[in-house]
Amino acid sequence: MRTHLLALPALAAAGVPVYSNSGPVVRSGDSRADAVKEAFSHAWDGYYEHAFPHDELHPISNGYGDSRNGWGASAVDALSTAIIMNNATIVNQILDHIAAVDYSKTDATVSLFETTIRYLAGMLSGYDLLKGPAADLVDEGKVEVLLEQSKNLADVLKFAFDTPSGVPFNNINITSEENDGSETNGLAVTGTLVLEWTRLSDLTGDDEYARLSQKAQDYLLHPKPDEYEPFPGLVGSSINIETGEFADGAVSWNGGADSYYEYLIKMYVYDPERFDLYRERWVAAAQSSIKYLASHPSSRPGLTFLASYEDHEYGLVSQHLTCFDGGNFLLGGTVLDRQEFIDFGLELVAACHETYNATLTGIGPEQFSWEPGSVPDDQRELYERAGFFIQSGGYILRPEVIESFYYAWRVTGDQQYREWVWNAFVSINKYCRTETGFAGLRDVNAEDGGGRDDNQESFLFAEVLKYIYLTFAPEGEWQVKKGSGNTFVYNTEAHPFKVYSSN
Ligand SMILES: *[C@@H]1O[C@H](CO)[C@@H](O)[C@H](O)[C@H]1NC(C)=O
Ligand SMILES: *[C@@H]1O[C@H](CO)[C@@H](O)[C@H](O)[C@H]1NC(C)=O
Ligand SMILES: *[C@@H]1O[C@H](CO)[C@@H](O)[C@H](O)[C@H]1NC(C)=O
């Protein structure tokens, strides 16, 4: 309840629509953009006071966590958003921090994937923005360290690729240069490195990083054995590190597989010359997904989710994470000028909106299902009304649904999608906001969010507040464009990279 009282005056002050005697006051995109900047500053100030330079704030107890090796994940993840919001104060604080990080030291196991998408990408994106469209924001002399530290970090990590196949280990000890002994690596964690490591090579002129990541990616683009590509373009979920062959044929767009598909089309956006095969594989995957994975709840046949598939059986389970899919179909559809992908993307966006719209908080759950035989009695009403039931009701400040609304707004220009973003922002302010930041929720379909979780993931800064802000912000080089004219492409953590051809 305290969030209620805190959040609403702050929102009103920041220009959130309030009711006057004559009805709702319609505010322009500008004041909505200002309200998002206010939320970002609120979270930054709380983090900076109570948790910096640790990885994340515990926004209820005002303690901190170091879940990402203690290199200041929230600060590095916040950089590109602070640049886009044009806040030189915060950008300078982050640049000073990054210059002081020693990426060779940590007490904990390092995830190659998480470190790449948050730290490496955060720095590379900051470099692209501050060398490009945001060049006036800070002293030029402070920018070069971003590329130097990117190289330092990649040099610490690159031994992970030193395996018989070149498919990396994900969980590594950077002190001993050992690994966790896994026999396989996951599809997403293997297939979500190539944009960052290629960008690093293109910026430094040292092609080693591109070679390492593209060699690993090659096994995903040419999957073996055939049985583990059950539909054209749709592949299994894990890869044998010794041989580079797929180890199963479990297909989905859910967590663990998701950003492999995301990066196929994004690599083509990054450089259509070098990455045309990636486009081909994305198109195959997208067509197969429409044909074989599109699934409609029995109670709401007008809604479309993506099912998973393994061994001739479908799984009718999806996730908040999966809801990037609509935005990804929209990006591919607009870039390739393929209306069928745009249409399908909008169907996916509408169904993910339902997972927000139908709950008591207006925020969607971590995991949900539409398997008609498994509906719990106490969720039958929800299933009949909304077409899904909740399997895991938490919300850890994930961005994917809002991200897809943003793509829908950019590609269609339909104001409805902006309203959906705004409604999500209002709910996040109402239920998640604390005195020092934003907390997760335990049950999005309970009246008060089911209680709050004392953790603020770094992607609140990198993704959630960025996609909301961009929805209401002025045009800019970094905005996603309708058609094929994008000059920036977003990594899976929402860090924008300058596309290669515009160098
Ligand atoms: C930049 O962020 C700081 C710290 O949150 C805040 O106090 C300041 O008002 C912001 N400046 C602008 C121009 O938004
Ligand atoms: C990494 O290896 C070093 C040196 O062998 C060891 O001291 C340390 O405990 C290991 N770290 C982890 C997280 O296992
Ligand atoms: C759901 O959508 C309807 C119609 O657009 C809207 O009136 C309602 O406020 C939404 N509910 C939530 C919780 O967002």
Side-chain angles (χ1 to χ4, degrees), residues 15 23 179 214 250 262 295 303 350 378 445:
N179 57 68
Q214 290 174 26
E262 177 185 354
S295 175
L303 295 179
D378 62 352
N445 202 27

Side-chain angles (χ1 to χ4, degrees), residues 305-316:
F305 295 116
L306 288 179
S308 57
Y309 176 93
E310 183 174 17
D311 221 0
H312 305 284
E313 288 196 16
Y314 285 94
L316 306 188

Side-chain angles (χ1 to χ4, degrees), residues 353 356-363 420 423 427:
H353 173 248
Y356 268 50
N357 188 257
T359 69
L360 285 172
T361 58
I363 296 172
W420 290 359
N423 292 343
S427 287

Side-chain angles (χ1 to χ4, degrees), residues 34 37-38 40-46 48 82 85-91 93:
D34 286 344
K37 283 185 178 173
E38 187 280 331
F40 186 84
S41 269
H42 170 71
W44 177 259
D45 291 349
Y48 202 69
M85 290 182 175
N86 204 38
N87 192 312
T89 310
I90 300 177
V91 172
Q93 288 169 330

Side-chain angles (χ1 to χ4, degrees), residues 373-391:
S374 309
V375 185
D377 284 343
D378 62 352
Q379 293 200 62
R380 185 142 300 278
E381 183 277 328
L382 177 65
Y383 179 66
E384 293 303 327
R385 170 168 58 88
F388 69 93
F389 61 91
I390 295 171
Q391 289 189 319

